């Protein structure tokens, strides 16, 4: 059993694993991360291997304090300070000019590095004990559902990872929002756990990155991602007609208004709370994936606040099929 409860003692064991070049999965407020020493290229290479991740996908470095931050990137812009002060620790990743100490394998050769300070006591304690930035993608196999519990991690990466720290279910449930910050512009590379509206209130208008599929620098930009192993479609009357008589699992927003015999129904949030819906999203998709149905249909949610991140994940999950 590689799952260990995230006590201080076990966090110290995980820190030792990372310091000596191993892989430790740990909880953050967004999803579970697959952590390695972010300054050790060989350790980072193990992440790609474990996930079957194409090398063109750069990783996020997780820091616990400003000292660590200053060592890995340039803070060359007032907006950066503003965003950090306002939203860190939290579900916000910033893509910033990197310093030489950051290995190329972390950034895929880019001259920028993605950084974030997670808002989770276990993650912060682990990074502090490790005493270096931790490189961590979501702890899932490439392209599959993201993990929001230690069990999800064990299912996908139980063989590959040295240790899994269990800190319960992730509070936010979708990955961090990723921003690229240039001199004149803030660009959203991936909608996520911090709603765009909240960012705009603090930093002014942001723009959405146009997809450039020939050179994706964010898997959020790949046409399919976050996919369950069985086909997922966005729910519509037409789709339901096509699936008539089939074993269908439904992921619905707040209630079941459909005149269709679903085999399994999961309701994201009866009280229509988008935070609750985001927190349940990947957990329910994991459950549906394992429920024995042949298809999953997912209802659209309103695209405000966290609804943007939820729809982004659902559309990418559906694009694979
Ligand atoms: O919430 C999260 O962000 C989680 C937790 C574990 O922190 N991590 C996560 O990592 O979602 P990952 O690797 O699954 O997604 C990181 C995203 C990728 O889409 C990657 O392409 C993008 O960050 N990224 C990393 N470095 C980048 C860079 N220098 N420029 C542009 N995008 C970058
Ligand atoms: Mg991921």
């Amino acid at each position: 059993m590689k799952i260990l409860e995230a006590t201080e003692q076990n966090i110290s064991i995980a820190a030792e694993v990372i310091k000596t070049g191993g892989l430790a999965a740990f909880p953050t407020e967004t999803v579970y991360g697959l952590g390695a020493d972010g300054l050790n290229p060989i350790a980072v290479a193990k992440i790609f291997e474990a996930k079957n991740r194409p090398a063109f996908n750069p990783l996020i470095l997780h820091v616990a304090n400003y000292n660590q931050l200053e060592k890995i990137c340039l803070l060359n812009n007032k907006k950066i300070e503003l965003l950090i002060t306002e939203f860190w620790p939290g579900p916000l990743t910033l893509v910033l000019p990197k310093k030489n100490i950051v290995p190329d394998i972390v950034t895929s050769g880019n001259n920028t590095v993605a950084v974030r300070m997670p808002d989770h006591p276990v993650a912060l304690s682990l990074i502090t004990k490790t005493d270096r930035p931790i490189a961590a993608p979501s702890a899932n196999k490439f392209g599959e559902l993201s993990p929001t519990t230690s069990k999800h991690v064990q299912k996908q990466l139980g063989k590959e990872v040295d240790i899994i720290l269990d800190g319960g279910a992730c509070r936010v449930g979708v990955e961090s929002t990723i921003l690229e910050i240039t001199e004149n512009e803030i660009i959203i590379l991936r909608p996520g756990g911090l709603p765009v509206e909240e960012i705009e209130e603090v930093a002014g208008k942001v723009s959405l990155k146009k997809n450039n599929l020939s050179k994706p620098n964010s898997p959020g930009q790949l046409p399919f991602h976050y996919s369950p192993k069985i086909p997922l479609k966005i729910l519509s009357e037409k789709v339901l007609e096509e699936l008539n008589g089939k074993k269908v699992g439904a992921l619905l927003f707040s209630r079941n208004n459909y005149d269709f015999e679903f085999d399994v129904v999961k309701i994201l949030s009866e009280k229509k709370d988008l935070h609750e819906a985001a927190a349940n999203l990947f957990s329910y998709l994991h459950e549906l994936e394992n429920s024995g149905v042949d298809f999953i249909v997912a209802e659209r949610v309103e695209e405000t606040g966290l609804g943007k991140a939820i729809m982004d994940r659902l559309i990418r999950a559906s694009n694979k099929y």
Side-chain angles (χ1 to χ4, degrees), residues 47-57 138-145 156-157 218-220 222 224-227 320:
I47 293 180
F48 290 95
E49 200 178 22
K51 282 183 66 97
N52 297 329
R53 182 176 212 180
F56 60 69
N57 280 324
S138 46
N140 53 305
K141 289 277 183 188
F142 177 70
E144 295 185 13
L145 290 174
Q156 294 191 33
L157 293 171
S218 213
L222 288 176
F224 55 86
H225 201 59
Y226 315 109
S227 309
K320 187 165 167 189

Side-chain angles (χ1 to χ4, degrees), residues 132-205:
R132 64 201 73 175
I134 295 184
S138 46
N140 53 305
K141 289 277 183 188
F142 177 70
E144 295 185 13
L145 290 174
S146 296
T148 57
T149 66
S150 57
K151 287 235 164 66
H152 296 159
V153 179
Q154 193 176 39
K155 195 173 79 180
Q156 294 191 33
L157 293 171
K159 284 204 199 83
E160 289 82 358
V161 70
D162 296 305
I163 188 175
I164 303 170
L165 285 176
D166 175 19
C170 300
R171 173 171 60 79
V172 176
V174 290
E175 295 87 343
S176 59
T177 302
I178 304 180
L179 300 181
E180 184 181 326
I181 301 174
T182 69
E183 233 163 81
N184 338 307
E185 238 189 338
I186 299 180
I187 304 159
I188 300 217
L189 299 183
R190 175 177 76 184
L194 181 66
V196 179
E197 293 89 333
E198 285 184 39
I199 297 167
E200 291 192 326
E201 250 175 55
V202 169
K205 198 78 193 143

Side-chain angles (χ1 to χ4, degrees), residues 21-163:
L23 296 181
F26 62 97
T28 80
E29 81 281 31
T30 57
V31 300
Y32 273 71
L34 177 62
D37 178 349
L39 303 181
N40 174 348
I42 294 169
V44 173
K46 290 185 189 164
I47 293 180
F48 290 95
E49 200 178 22
K51 282 183 66 97
N52 297 329
R53 182 176 212 180
F56 60 69
N57 280 324
L59 301 170
I60 298 173
L61 288 185
H62 297 68
V63 296
N65 56 56
Y66 286 83
N67 268 344
Q68 292 182 331
L69 181 69
E70 280 169 356
K71 285 194 187 131
I72 54 177
C73 62
L74 295 177
L75 306 168
N76 56 352
N77 179 324
K78 277 240 158 63
K79 286 209 165 137
I80 299 169
E81 261 169 57
L82 190 70
L83 289 164
I84 287 178
T85 314
E86 192 70 27
F87 297 115
W88 277 11
L92 174 67
T93 294
L94 301 176
V95 173
L96 301 174
K98 79 168 193 112
K99 289 192 176 163
N100 280 341
I101 190 176
V102 179
D104 276 338
I105 188 167
V106 170
T107 63
S108 305
N110 286 315
N111 53 12
T112 54
V113 61
V115 287
R116 99 176 183 93
M117 192 185 289
D119 185 16
H120 195 293
V122 174
L124 290 172
S125 167
L126 178 66
I127 302 163
T128 306
K129 284 179 198 281
T130 307
D131 197 25
R132 64 201 73 175
I134 295 184
S138 46
N140 53 305
K141 289 277 183 188
F142 177 70
E144 295 185 13
L145 290 174
S146 296
T148 57
T149 66
S150 57
K151 287 235 164 66
H152 296 159
V153 179
Q154 193 176 39
K155 195 173 79 180
Q156 294 191 33
L157 293 171
K159 284 204 199 83
E160 289 82 358
V161 70
D162 296 305
I163 188 175

